[in-house]
Amino acid sequence: MALHFRLLITLFFALLKPRRKKLEETEIAFRVLPTDCHLPYFRLMCAGRYFDFMDLARVDQVTQWGLLRTLYLEGLSMVVAGQYLKYLRPLKVFQRFNVKTRILFWDDRFVYIEHRFEQAGVLKTVGIVQGCLLGRKGIANPREILSRHLEEVPPPPMPPEVRDWHQLTDRASGKRR
């Protein structure tokens, strides 16, 4: 229930924020609540909760960019195809932290998004999400959606993190590029 409440709060405040330039990094603040922590001591945030905050940060991002309405009108959902998380330092109960979100790259099928969890300027965790836009006719081409909305902005060059991701997933599935 707490996540549903946080989603509503995230949407409400994202709608009040000024619109961001397309592809500009976004930032949203949270606080670690006892319900986000491991039982029985409630001291450190659960590993799985980071993924929930990444979801909320992406909702904040597409809302600030003005893409939420486009996704809704075109019947598209943001779906996670894969996620990677590197824990550097734990977040503790009642600590405030920020999630900085930026798009790393997109191709004809996927969008790669980086989330950085920072607390008082210290990097705590880094996550990368491979997501797709799923519609009535299957997976939508992110290039088409983003080019319509972003006026033909080309994707940034493929960063090493995404290239490494492709190599890892290709090895795991037995594919060769």
Side-chain angles (χ1 to χ4, degrees):
M1 189 60 155
L3 287 176
H4 292 104
F5 186 65
R6 278 186 166 152
L7 174 62
L8 292 174
I9 290 172
T10 298
L11 274 171
F12 177 76
F13 283 107
L15 290 168
L16 294 178
K17 292 177 184 177
R19 286 280 166 94
R20 294 280 199 144
K21 293 180 184 175
K22 307 312 184 245
L23 301 183
E24 185 179 2
E25 179 178 85
T26 58
E27 184 173 354
I28 185 169
F30 295 104
R31 182 181 298 273
V32 179
L33 299 177
T35 54
D36 300 322
C37 297
H38 291 285
L39 294 174
Y41 302 112
F42 300 109
R43 293 188 345 207
L44 302 177
M45 188 159 79
C46 293
R49 191 62 94 193
Y50 287 86
F51 295 110
D52 297 328
F53 286 115
M54 289 165 47
D55 288 342
L56 293 173
R58 286 191 304 278
V59 168
D60 178 68
Q61 182 182 57
V62 297
T63 305
Q64 285 188 55
W65 287 353
L67 264 174
L68 188 63
R69 186 171 195 268
T70 301
L71 296 176
Y72 177 76
L73 292 175
E74 295 191 24
L76 297 170
S77 298
M78 297 181 296
V79 178
V80 172
Q83 299 182 92
Y84 166 81
L85 215 52
K86 176 63 178 169
Y87 303 98
L88 303 170
R89 294 170 189 86
L91 285 168
K92 298 175 183 171
V93 70
F94 299 117
Q95 279 186 328
R96 291 182 71 58
F97 65 96
N98 294 335
V99 180
K100 294 183 178 180
T101 304
R102 69 184 178 112
I103 288 190
L104 294 173
F105 179 73
W106 67 85
D107 55 25
D108 293 334
R109 196 168 162 87
F110 297 109
V111 178
Y112 297 86
I113 303 164
E114 177 187 70
H115 298 282
R116 289 184 325 279
F117 290 75
E118 297 180 2
Q119 192 269 324
V122 176
L123 184 62
K124 297 288 190 163
T125 301
V126 178
I128 297 176
V129 173
Q130 178 191 45
C132 62
L133 300 171
L134 188 62
R136 296 174 196 104
K137 298 176 184 174
I139 294 175
N141 186 330
R143 288 180 197 240
E144 292 175 12
I145 304 297
L146 292 171
S147 68
R148 279 201 309 268
H149 195 71
L150 303 178
E151 299 145 10
E152 297 297 326
V153 173
M158 184 185 288
E161 301 93 338
V162 175
R163 182 179 29 82
D164 294 345
W165 184 300
H166 281 289
Q167 290 172 352
L168 179 66
T169 56
D170 287 351
R171 274 196 312 266
S173 65
K175 288 185 187 176
R176 299 222 182 250
R177 282 194 191 248

